[in-house]
Structure formats: structure tokens, C-alpha cells
């Protein structure tokens, strides 16, 4: 029961980050004093810990755009699978295996 709740909460977090921070990064470079949701925290974190995000190489930009527009569908599927307890469905197992492989590769 608690694992299902935790998985649901994590999926909501991932969806939120994809549709806010990553979508903003996909649309424009990170800048100081960005008024978007969590963008100032993202900028500060990047300055201190991940300068690559500020340099915005083409491959990182493209990967972030793919992630922010495609992966929320998978996160939503995992959310409802967890919520409804459908983990034994063979088709979903195969789809989620591919999804996890894509996440690990990224």
C-alpha cells in the first residue's frame, strides 16, 4: 500500500518537473531572476553544481525537450498503474521495461 502511494507521489513530482522546469529550459536558456515556477532555484543549483545546464549544449537541450514532452505520458501511465494496482498486466510490464531502459540510458 505505502509503496503504491510513494510511486504515485513520485510520478506527480516527475510530471510537475517535466511540465515546469524542463519545459521552461526547453523554451529558453536559464537566466537569473526567471519568474517561472522553481526556475530561480534551478538556476541557483546549476550555478553551484551543474554548469553544463547553463552552457546548454545542443544534445542536452534536445534531450530535455524530448523528456519534457514525451515522458509525462509514461509518468501518467505509471501513476495510474500504481494507483489501481495493475502491475501484473503483461503488456504494461513490457512497456514500462522499455520506459525504464530509456530512463537509465538518459
Amino acid at each position: 500500500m505505502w509503496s503504491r502511494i510513494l510511486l504515485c507521489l513520485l510520478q506527480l513530482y516527475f510530471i510537475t518537473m517535466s511540465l515546469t522546469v524542463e519545459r521552461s529550459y526547453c523554451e529558453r536558456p536559464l537566466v537569473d531572476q526567471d519568474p517561472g515556477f522553481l526556475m530561480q532555484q534551478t538556476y541557483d543549483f546549476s550555478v553551484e553544481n551543474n554548469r553544463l545546464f547553463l552552457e546548454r549544449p545542443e544534445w542536452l537541450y534536445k534531450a530535455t525537450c524530448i523528456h519534457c514532452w514525451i515522458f509525462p505520458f509514461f509518468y501518467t501511465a505509471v501513476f495510474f498503474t500504481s494507483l489501481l494496482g495493475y502491475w501484473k498486466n503483461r503488456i504494461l510490464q513490457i512497456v514500462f521495461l522499455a520506459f525504464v531502459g530509456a530512463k537509465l540510458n538518459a
Side-chain angles (χ1 to χ4, degrees):
M1 171 69 172
W2 288 108
S3 61
R4 288 171 52 186
I5 292 171
L6 178 61
L7 277 172
C8 287
L9 291 174
L10 285 172
Q11 300 318 303
L12 291 174
Y13 169 77
F14 296 149
I15 292 167
T16 301
M17 292 300 104
S18 290
L19 298 179
T20 57
V21 173
E22 291 179 0
R23 183 181 54 87
S24 295
Y25 182 78
C26 183
E27 293 173 354
R28 62 190 178 281
L30 290 177
V31 294
D32 196 13
Q33 305 301 320
D34 190 327
F37 179 70
L38 293 178
M39 292 310 294
Q40 184 61 47
Q41 293 85 344
T42 302
Y43 178 81
D44 293 341
F45 179 84
S46 296
V47 166
E48 294 178 23
N49 302 299
N50 190 359
R51 302 290 298 174
L52 190 60
F53 229 62
L54 295 175
E55 294 170 12
R56 203 168 195 245
E58 187 71 18
W59 63 269
L60 183 59
Y61 159 75
K62 287 181 179 179
T64 302
C65 290
I66 289 169
H67 186 270
C68 82
W69 293 114
I70 294 174
F71 277 56
F73 294 108
F74 291 107
Y75 295 141
T76 302
V78 171
F79 174 83
F80 283 111
T81 300
S82 299
L83 184 68
L84 302 173
Y86 287 160
W87 285 109
K88 299 209 185 287
N89 183 311
R90 190 71 165 152
I91 295 171
L92 289 176
Q93 289 176 350
I94 293 168
V95 170
F96 292 150
L97 180 63
F99 170 62
V100 169
K103 285 293 290 180
L104 289 175
N105 188 43

